Amino acid sequence: MDKKAIISSLQLSQEDLLKAGCFDTNQIVKIIEAALVSFKKGEIIFPDKTVQIFDKKTQSRINCLPSTLLREKVCGVKWVSVFPQNPALYNKQNLSAVILLSNIRDGFPLTIMDGTFISNIRTAGIGSVAAKYLAKKDSKVIGFIGSGEQAKMHLITMLSVRPSLKECRVASLNPKNEEKFIREMQVIFPGVLFQGTKSDLGKAVIGADIVITATSAQLPLLKKKWLKEGVFYCHVGGYEDEFSVALACNKIVCDDWQIVKHRTQTLSLMYKKGILKDQDVYANLVEIVSGKKQGRQNPMEKIYFNSVGLSYLDIAIANWMYQKCLKASLGKEIIFQKEMIFSRPDIRRFIKS
Amino acid sequence: MDKKAIISSLQLSQEDLLKAGCFDTNQIVKIIEAALVSFKKGEIIFPDKTVQIFDKKTQSRINCLPSTLLREKVCGVKWVSVFPQNPALYNKQNLSAVILLSNIRDGFPLTIMDGTFISNIRTAGIGSVAAKYLAKKDSKVIGFIGSGEQAKMHLITMLSVRPSLKECRVASLNPKNEEKFIREMQVIFPGVLFQGTKSDLGKAVIGADIVITATSAQLPLLKKKWLKEGVFYCHVGGYEDEFSVALACNKIVCDDWQIVKHRTQTLSLMYKKGILKDQDVYANLVEIVSGKKQGRQNPMEKIYFNSVGLSYLDIAIANWMYQKCLKASLGKEIIFQKEMIFSRPDIRRFIKS
């Protein structure tokens, strides 16, 4: 770092994060568990997010999600855009995210980093924390509805908590995406048996021990009748399962039910229609992680997990990744302010008036 | 720009902004006027700011202020830290700010830039927009209580709208700061007569045509009896003037009274105590800029201006500066994401699980 600059930061790309060894699913699970407990203890400031929507129909938006880890003395913000038409219009990814961290000793910025990878691994990470406590220990088959980046990331984190998984089935509304999913994932997990379904959603799900829906369809794609006893269902998107799915489950667990119930996911819709009540939700995940409530109690239970996304988890993960990159001397120094503006002897020549 | 990277941005330092010719006070005035009008027309999304306070006593905090310029198709956030103890504890500046802009076509980030300069020139800029309409045309003497970066910036912007100013007096609670102020400003304005006061606040203000208080004192430093007829008083800080100052003024103008009245500035305190009512506030600045209400109507009026800070103005200024830097090919390209993570043929070796 240039010691002479008044304000500088470390800039980190996705590629820096990979090189530093941040794609470490076991560590992600540990960080998420610790942050959930830390929040419960009051060690995290977590203000409401700010949502700016630019198009009511497409729901194109940029969300601004600040939070502070008081124990780590780090305040950060995730700045994330969701433009559902990007793939169709520009052949670009839907989501882009940037994370900025500042220290809370002097308030100066520490790092500005890629947030897309963090955002994706956080979502999949909390799903795998849930699976750790709620999926059967000997789960063999995992079935996906949806085959995008979120589905891929979930497969990776799920395999780290349930290495017993031997078979992965995938259904996408577009069969080409199934092929891409399998091609990319087979490279990473040569020992897993992959199966495409040519958009046959039931075929992907029936008989699976772990079912994951990661789609932006906004349709009740997942049917109750497809779910076998003992299933762990991880709901990632918005509205994508029949109401009867949740009603048929023995336990419903959320990352934070008080937040979930005011959103627009399947459980939220059910709550707003009066079909689901507060007491129907068994626990928030932190209660299970901290041992206050039990996770799976027998191999027959059907368990439903829904996460709405807690952005202080992104900040906790980002802070861990930043520390790893610092240690590995990765990233680029960027300067925001070299000197005090009026200390420059030549400032006069820059002023136009 | 590296066309191959999926997500990249332009990183801009204060020094880049200076080189690009952004310290242009006339332009800043124009941009602020246009943005005030644009907001009034509904062309700007301006959500509430998020404030995270880390120390109740010192009020150390980081504020997160997003907004969107719909016409310019730019969404941005100012991330600003205010740590009042920085100068004493670390010999560092109180304030640091970073601004991030994204486009609202695909949501991707455009630039991450120094925000400290923008933040300071915005505050002084709106003061000079007010002075343009509210200060006497032939103002000769400007008096400052406070001599920090904000005072300096105000002198520069005030001189651009009132080049008739010939004399500048300054009072600071620390006389050394007066000397520094004069030393730095004399270089920029060799034709102006500067006068220090050795902390004699009255001496700085009595007889001045324009009075500016830019201090964090939180004491009623400015006395009503010091203000002459025809004065334009620009209140920059929090609580720093006797209540009788506002009561003695013929017009009170705010950047946005509906926001001001809920804060903790002198006018806000008066409102909360019932000493000031809605009808006592003559106008919001935009009503005068757009010609709906008159500015100064005679040379005897005493006029009070208070701005609380509208962060969409920072975003409007930042966007203009970004465009100027783009044209001048200034700044550094930074890459957030080079490629889709699962498109890497070597991704397997980066995954630890």
Side-chain angles (χ1 to χ4, degrees), chain A residues 14 52 68 92 106 336, chain B residues 14 52 68 79 92 106 336:
Chain A
Q14 170 184 280
Q52 295 182 82
T68 300
K92 279 184 184 177
D106 62 19
F336 287 112
Chain B
Q14 170 184 278
Q52 295 182 81
T68 301
W79 179 254
K92 279 184 182 177
D106 62 20
F336 287 112

Side-chain angles (χ1 to χ4, degrees), chain B residues 12-192:
Chain B
L12 296 167
S13 66
Q14 170 184 278
E15 287 67 29
D16 293 320
L17 304 182
L18 291 178
K19 272 184 223 152
C22 297
F23 203 154
D24 184 332
T25 53
N26 286 318
Q27 281 300 323
I28 298 294
V29 164
K30 281 183 197 160
I31 294 159
I32 290 175
E33 291 190 352
L36 289 170
V37 172
S38 192
F39 177 66
K40 189 84 181 171
K41 281 190 196 159
E43 297 167 347
I44 292 176
I45 306 177
F46 186 39
D48 284 340
K49 67 177 173 182
T50 304
V51 179
Q52 295 182 81
I53 297 176
F54 312 117
D55 187 320
K56 279 215 172 133
K57 219 180 80 189
T58 64
Q59 290 284 304
S60 300
R61 61 193 182 277
I62 291 183
N63 292 352
C64 182
L65 309 112
S67 62
T68 301
L69 314 172
L70 292 169
R71 214 157 37 102
E72 291 81 358
K73 300 201 184 307
V74 166
C75 174
V77 61
K78 179 165 84 157
W79 179 254
V80 55
S81 65
V82 182
F83 279 63
Q85 294 199 297
N86 274 359
L89 291 181
Y90 311 113
N91 193 27
K92 279 184 182 177
Q93 65 196 50
N94 175 350
L95 185 145
S96 81
V98 167
I99 290 177
L100 182 66
L101 301 182
S102 294
N103 79 73
I104 60 170
R105 286 178 200 84
D106 62 20
F108 285 15
L110 296 167
T111 182
I112 169 92
M113 63 203 294
D114 166 55
T116 309
F117 171 55
I118 293 170
S119 210
N120 286 336
I121 205 167
R122 184 268 297 168
T123 308
I126 195 159
S128 67
V129 169
K132 179 177 161 189
Y133 297 95
L134 303 173
K136 283 184 300 175
K137 286 259 172 347
D138 61 348
S139 297
K140 294 276 182 301
V141 179
I142 185 166
F144 284 91
I145 292 179
S147 61
E149 298 304 292
Q150 269 307 342
K152 296 169 198 169
M153 205 55 103
H154 271 81
L155 178 62
I156 294 168
T157 63
M158 289 292 166
L159 267 156
S160 93
V161 294
R162 287 295 177 268
S164 56
L165 289 166
K166 296 290 172 233
E167 187 181 336
C168 173
R169 302 187 206 140
V170 58
S172 170
L173 298 181
N174 179 349
K176 282 214 170 136
N177 293 337
E178 293 176 11
E179 288 162 29
K180 186 162 186 255
F181 176 98
I182 293 172
R183 203 168 53 241
E184 293 177 354
M185 294 297 105
Q186 189 77 76
V187 174
I188 302 173
F189 302 110
V192 170

Side-chain angles (χ1 to χ4, degrees), chain B residues 69 85 110 142 183 186 216 228 230 234 255 262 343 350:
Chain B
L69 314 172
Q85 294 199 297
L110 296 167
I142 185 166
R183 203 168 53 241
Q186 189 77 76
S216 53
K228 74 166 182 178
C234 180
D255 56 351
H262 299 298
S343 301
F350 292 106

Side-chain angles (χ1 to χ4, degrees), chain A residues 10-248:
Chain A
L10 190 66
Q11 189 265 322
L12 296 168
S13 65
Q14 170 184 280
E15 287 67 28
D16 292 320
L17 304 181
L18 290 179
K19 272 183 223 154
C22 297
F23 203 154
D24 184 333
T25 53
N26 286 319
Q27 281 299 323
I28 299 294
V29 164
K30 281 184 198 161
I31 293 159
I32 290 174
E33 291 190 351
L36 288 170
V37 172
S38 193
F39 177 66
K40 190 82 181 174
K41 282 190 194 160
E43 298 167 345
I44 292 176
I45 306 177
F46 186 40
D48 285 340
K49 68 176 173 182
T50 304
V51 179
Q52 295 182 82
I53 298 175
F54 312 117
D55 188 319
K56 279 211 173 137
K57 219 180 81 190
T58 64
Q59 289 284 304
S60 300
R61 63 193 181 275
I62 291 183
N63 291 352
C64 182
L65 309 112
S67 62
T68 300
L69 314 173
L70 291 170
R71 215 156 39 100
E72 291 82 356
K73 300 200 184 309
V74 166
C75 175
V77 61
K78 179 165 84 157
W79 179 254
V80 55
S81 65
V82 183
F83 279 63
Q85 294 198 298
N86 273 359
L89 290 182
Y90 311 113
N91 193 27
K92 279 184 184 177
Q93 66 197 50
N94 175 351
L95 185 145
S96 81
V98 167
I99 290 177
L100 183 65
L101 301 182
S102 294
N103 80 72
I104 61 169
R105 285 180 200 86
D106 62 19
F108 285 14
L110 296 168
T111 182
I112 169 93
M113 63 203 295
D114 167 55
T116 309
F117 170 55
I118 293 169
S119 211
N120 286 336
I121 205 167
R122 183 267 299 170
T123 308
I126 195 158
S128 68
V129 169
K132 180 176 159 188
Y133 297 95
L134 302 173
K136 281 184 298 175
K137 287 261 175 340
D138 62 347
S139 297
K140 294 276 181 302
V141 178
I142 185 165
F144 284 90
I145 293 179
S147 61
E149 298 304 291
Q150 270 307 343
K152 296 170 198 169
M153 204 57 101
H154 271 82
L155 178 62
I156 294 168
T157 63
M158 289 292 167
L159 267 156
S160 92
V161 294
R162 286 294 177 269
S164 56
L165 289 166
K166 296 288 171 238
E167 186 181 337
C168 173
R169 303 187 206 140
V170 59
S172 170
L173 298 181
N174 179 347
K176 281 215 170 133
N177 292 338
E178 294 176 10
E179 287 163 30
K180 186 162 184 258
F181 176 98
I182 294 173
R183 201 167 55 241
E184 292 177 353
M185 293 297 105
Q186 189 77 76
V187 174
I188 301 173
F189 302 110
V192 170
L193 175 70
F194 285 91
Q195 224 187 308
T197 64
K198 295 198 167 37
S199 309
D200 184 339
L201 311 185
K203 204 169 160 190
V205 169
I206 294 167
D209 304 292
I210 297 178
V211 171
I212 294 176
T213 56
T215 162
S216 53
Q218 306 300 318
L219 288 167
L221 300 179
L222 181 68
K223 310 294 177 200
K224 172 197 151 190
K225 62 180 179 195
W226 295 340
L227 297 178
K228 74 166 183 179
E229 294 201 319
V231 73
F232 168 67
Y233 167 44
C234 181
H235 172 113
V236 180
Y239 168 51
E240 58 217 31
D241 48 324
E242 294 182 331
F243 289 173
S244 54
V245 169
L247 297 175

Side-chain angles (χ1 to χ4, degrees), chain A residues 247-258:
Chain A
L247 297 175
C249 284
N250 303 86
K251 284 177 177 151
I252 297 173
V253 176
C254 292
D255 55 352
D256 191 324
W257 169 239
Q258 289 306 316

Side-chain angles (χ1 to χ4, degrees), chain B residues 253-270:
Chain B
V253 177
C254 292
D255 56 351
D256 192 323
W257 168 240
Q258 289 306 317
I259 301 180
V260 170
K261 72 187 200 183
H262 299 298
R263 295 288 168 81
T264 54
Q265 292 162 305
T266 308
L267 294 183
S268 334
L269 300 176
M270 293 173 70

